[in-house]
Amino acid sequence: MTISMHAASVPVFQQLLGSLDQLLAKAEAHAVEHKIDADALLQARLFPDMFPLAKQVVVACDFARGVSGRLAGAELPVLEGDNKSFADLRGLIGASLDFIGGLDPAAFAAAGSREIVLRPGTPKERRMEGQPYLLHYGLPQFFFHVTTAYDLLRHNGVVVGKRDYMGAY
């Protein structure tokens, strides 16, 4: 039995972006309920050299769109915004879900062997085939940033658990 590159990517990103959206909704409600400045949560870090919560969400969305789009051979959208509030971040998640949900599963037919070029024209340029790009780079990066966002919220007192992280499946 084989699994399509679409099935191994887009539904996974959709599930976890959906859960990330709900995590942010809970975080916003927590901030209001406990009279916490939203920016205190959005700029929270586990350690000074790590990205804050807001950037973790942005990077997770970037990976979901970037990996899915590259695998489908689609042009990646440029999504601009401040990404400084819960509403901004939830809007980014929604736009990311719209983009990846609009990709034609048939466009992923040759994705496993499609050459993916990261950081083209720079000293950090890297080339790989689609399957290792998804399985060994894209998904681990995506999960890292979603998990870190979850951990930041949990660490800062937002009442969330594994079911919240997993989302609907």
Side-chain angles (χ1 to χ4, degrees):
M1 182 170 119
T2 60
I3 183 170
S4 73
M5 292 294 288
H6 179 271
S9 59
V10 172
V12 176
F13 293 132
Q14 289 172 321
Q15 177 183 336
L16 272 291
L17 285 179
S19 73
L20 188 56
D21 182 61
Q22 292 305 303
L23 289 167
L24 292 179
K26 285 189 172 197
E28 185 173 26
H30 176 83
V32 170
E33 180 182 342
H34 296 281
K35 296 177 177 51
I36 299 169
D37 180 13
D39 208 44
L41 287 176
L42 293 167
Q43 293 307 310
R45 301 168 190 258
L46 292 174
F47 198 75
D49 69 349
M50 293 180 72
F51 288 149
L53 173 65
K55 183 69 173 181
Q56 299 291 346
V57 173
V58 169
V59 176
C61 289
D62 289 348
F63 270 98
R65 288 189 319 278
V67 171
S68 300
R70 287 182 190 99
L71 290 174
E75 185 173 333
L76 300 181
V78 176
L79 301 179
E80 297 189 21
D82 290 334
N83 300 317
K84 293 183 178 180
S85 70
F86 285 111
D88 292 342
L89 294 170
R90 294 187 72 200
L92 177 64
I93 291 170
S96 298
L97 285 167
D98 288 346
F99 172 71
I100 66 175
L103 295 171
D104 182 358
F108 288 75
S113 59
R114 179 174 285 130
E115 182 180 50
I116 306 296
V117 182
L118 301 174
R119 299 180 180 165
T122 71
K124 292 185 176 185
E125 181 175 295
R126 182 156 183 206
R127 296 172 180 271
M128 59 180 72
E129 286 189 348
Q131 184 174 333
Y133 168 66
L134 172 65
L135 298 177
H136 302 288
Y137 180 75
L139 286 174
Q141 291 278 358
F142 175 74
F143 285 126
F144 174 85
H145 292 286
V146 173
T147 301
T148 302
Y150 168 88
D151 292 343
L152 283 162
L153 294 174
R154 180 93 171 144
H155 177 75
N156 281 280
V158 179
V159 180
V160 293
K162 186 175 181 180
R163 287 184 186 179
D164 298 297
Y165 174 84
M166 290 296 294
Y169 56 93

